[in-house]
Amino acid sequence: MWYFTWILGLLLACSLGIINVLRLEAQETWDREHIPMDPLTQLMTKDTMLGRLKEKVENSKRNGFPFSILFISLKDFKAKNDLPAFEMDAILRSVADCFKEDIRAGVDIAARMDEQEFLIAMPGSPLKKAEEIAAQVKNEILERVKAPRDLFVEVVAGVAEYSAYSKNFATTAQEVDELIRIATEKSSI
């Protein structure tokens, strides 16, 4: 008799697991279809990214896993390269493609924060791994952007790691702002 109870419990656990996976897949599909994207790069917008970073901070507080962010900027690219708008747009799309190739699909999220600034959130990635990805992305951008012509390209990247145990802030928004500030400061060094 206890076999039947055990088998029913196992079947229930499996069905709940399947339902959870289907729910997550449906959420990802909905996100892809309904999240506001930057029309040029097809990356998340700044406002959407800030909201997602708040979620990541809350998740990190709950589960104790750190996550890292990468701040990448094409420093003074537009000012130092006199390019027509369509060429500048093509270069920015190419930069966004570098992110899409180097980040984990369905896990990491990338956003265009400003005209020539980008942010990548990497849940579950320690600082060391994020620094490796930052160097890889930086090299790819330099190769892609310089390749068509001799353009002046200075790519700066900053990395910061969030850990729920590092500091106590009054609000999650303050934690997100501090995380972005740290990554931005590291990029200007």
Side-chain angles (χ1 to χ4, degrees):
M1 197 65 172
W2 64 272
Y3 292 112
F4 293 114
T5 306
W6 184 80
I7 291 172
L8 284 174
L10 184 62
L11 289 173
L12 179 63
C14 290
S15 63
L16 290 175
I18 291 170
I19 289 170
N20 194 33
V21 167
L22 293 174
R23 183 186 60 78
L24 289 173
E25 287 178 3
Q27 181 66 39
E28 282 183 16
T29 302
W30 189 90
D31 286 348
R32 279 193 301 271
E33 294 172 357
H34 295 89
I35 288 180
M37 302 294 239
D38 176 61
L40 179 64
T41 61
Q42 292 304 303
L43 298 174
M44 281 186 189
T45 62
K46 180 179 182 176
D47 292 337
T48 304
M49 177 58 111
L50 293 176
R52 294 295 293 270
L53 282 176
K54 289 176 187 172
E55 291 172 15
K56 300 299 179 197
V57 167
E58 291 298 325
N59 288 343
S60 184
K61 285 179 184 177
R62 262 194 312 279
N63 62 30
F65 294 123
F67 71 93
S68 296
I69 64 167
L70 280 66
F71 177 82
I72 297 171
S73 175
L74 300 176
K75 192 173 181 183
D76 300 327
F77 183 75
K78 191 173 186 177
K80 294 184 178 180
N81 296 292
D82 187 27
L83 295 173
F86 71 91
E87 282 188 46
M88 184 64 70
D89 291 349
I91 288 170
L92 291 174
R93 278 192 294 274
S94 180
V95 168
D97 289 343
C98 289
F99 303 149
K100 293 172 187 173
E101 292 170 7
D102 289 331
I103 64 175
R104 300 169 294 177
V107 178
D108 300 336
I109 52 176
R112 184 176 181 198
M113 300 299 280
D114 202 357
E115 192 171 326
Q116 299 169 55
E117 295 176 347
F118 303 90
L119 192 70
I120 300 172
M122 303 176 69
S125 290
L127 187 63
K128 185 78 173 161
K129 177 66 176 172
E131 288 172 343
E132 291 170 9
I133 297 295
Q136 184 178 341
V137 167
K138 188 175 176 178
N139 289 334
E140 275 191 46
I141 291 171
L142 289 171
E143 287 176 17
R144 282 191 186 192
V145 174
K146 278 190 173 182
R149 299 204 229 161
D150 273 339
L151 298 173
F152 175 81
V153 182
E154 183 180 357
V155 180
V156 292
V159 180
E161 179 183 52
Y162 176 80
S163 174
Y165 309 111
S166 60
K167 292 182 181 177
N168 291 324
F169 288 89
T171 66
T172 302
Q174 287 176 329
E175 291 172 310
V176 168
D177 291 343
E178 179 68 8
L179 191 62
I180 292 172
R181 185 192 63 73
I182 292 168
T184 306
E185 282 180 0
K186 285 185 178 181
S187 72
S188 58
I189 295 174

